[in-house]
Amino acid sequence: MAIFISLSVTDKTTSKQDAATVRTALLEEAVGALQPIFGARGASATRIQAVLGRSPDKDATFSLSVHLHLPGQRIVAVHSKGDDLRSLARDVIDKLTSATRRHLERLAHGSEFARKRRRERLYEITTGADQRPERERSLVEARLAEIRPKLETAARRELAYLRAVSKLPTGYPEVADIVDEAIMRVIASDHGVVDAGELQIAALRELFAVIDAEIAAQQISMSAIPLDSEVPQDAEDEAEAMVEEEFYEFYQPDDHVTLADVLPVELSQTKVALDEVHVAGVVAALRDLPNLWRRVFVLRQQDLFAPKQVSEVVDRALDEIEDIFEKVSAFLDARLAEWGADSWEEIFRSKG
């Protein structure tokens, strides 16, 4: 696994030799302490941001701050001061390693707790489903089993987009977690729906509700984890830019958006001569959309649902659905113009 050190120097009196000494010492210490941690998680690379300056204290010559992006939209930052640059580098890497271990351990336990809560929630839902007449429940279960592959496709696609923008972590929830809970919610509902088409609408509506609940829970979990220390202003600005521009190299999601996720079914299963650059533009543009807008677009364009069906799935008025689709179309056309495509429809059109 590769580790990169980005060092900024805030004091003009600091020599290039001192900066080089710190960078080398940081890299040596990080390789020994952090490489095993990230390597065990399948990481390919990570980058440590460091800021070297003069200490305001009379008893120390230098100050050194480092920060590191971690899974869960977390930036761990530590600080130290001293006279010996190598000892200073060793100290901040020791602190950074401890903070990283604590955070990753907290994330691991968070997933275990979330799985336990889901099991308890599914048990409660199952109890409600038992109240439904046996014959009706059997019919509903059979029809939901038939549409389960479609629900899994929708869940996989949604999780891929959400993980790509770090709204959900990799690994949990899984596609099966989302689909199982959505199906059980439909079975336990007292609406008496048994029509296959209506069941699919109801199941997709529940599926998105389950995913939105996971997003909300993830935001609460991450906001409850404080930073270890304040980040210097210049390093903080750089960190914010990196959050927007980069995804953690060592924490790539297992799910990823493919061409089949954005093309209508009948086109994705044929040999369509498409410019991969344009396809990448579609995926990137859809990723940047608000959740509701993206769902409206893919339900209509990829899943080929009628506007009324889309309105029922996302629980919005029909005129709002039409308005959203027009705005998404204009947004995609504007974005794809930068890639040399005439319109998003050109990307979805078969070339023969």
Side-chain angles (χ1 to χ4, degrees), residues 168-193:
L168 285 178
T170 299
Y172 184 85
E174 298 177 354
V175 170
D177 297 321
I178 299 297
V179 175
D180 287 344
E181 183 169 346
I183 286 178
M184 288 307 302
R185 285 189 180 196
V186 174
I187 294 174
S189 66
D190 57 359
H191 302 309
V193 176

Side-chain angles (χ1 to χ4, degrees), residues 21 29 52 68 72 77 82 91 113 130 138 140 157 166-167 179 225 248 258 265 308 310 324 329-331 343:
T21 298
E29 296 294 333
L52 176 65
L68 173 67
D91 186 46
F113 177 78
D130 290 338
S138 297
V140 170
R157 178 181 61 208
S166 300
K167 288 187 177 181
V179 175
I225 302 176
Y248 311 126
T258 65
V265 175
K308 186 176 185 301
V310 177
I324 289 175
S329 298
F331 171 77
S343 71

Side-chain angles (χ1 to χ4, degrees), residues 18-38:
D18 286 341
T21 298
V22 170
R23 182 183 286 106
T24 300
L26 284 172
L27 183 58
E28 291 175 351
E29 296 294 333
V31 167
L34 291 171
Q35 195 172 59
I37 299 176
F38 294 135

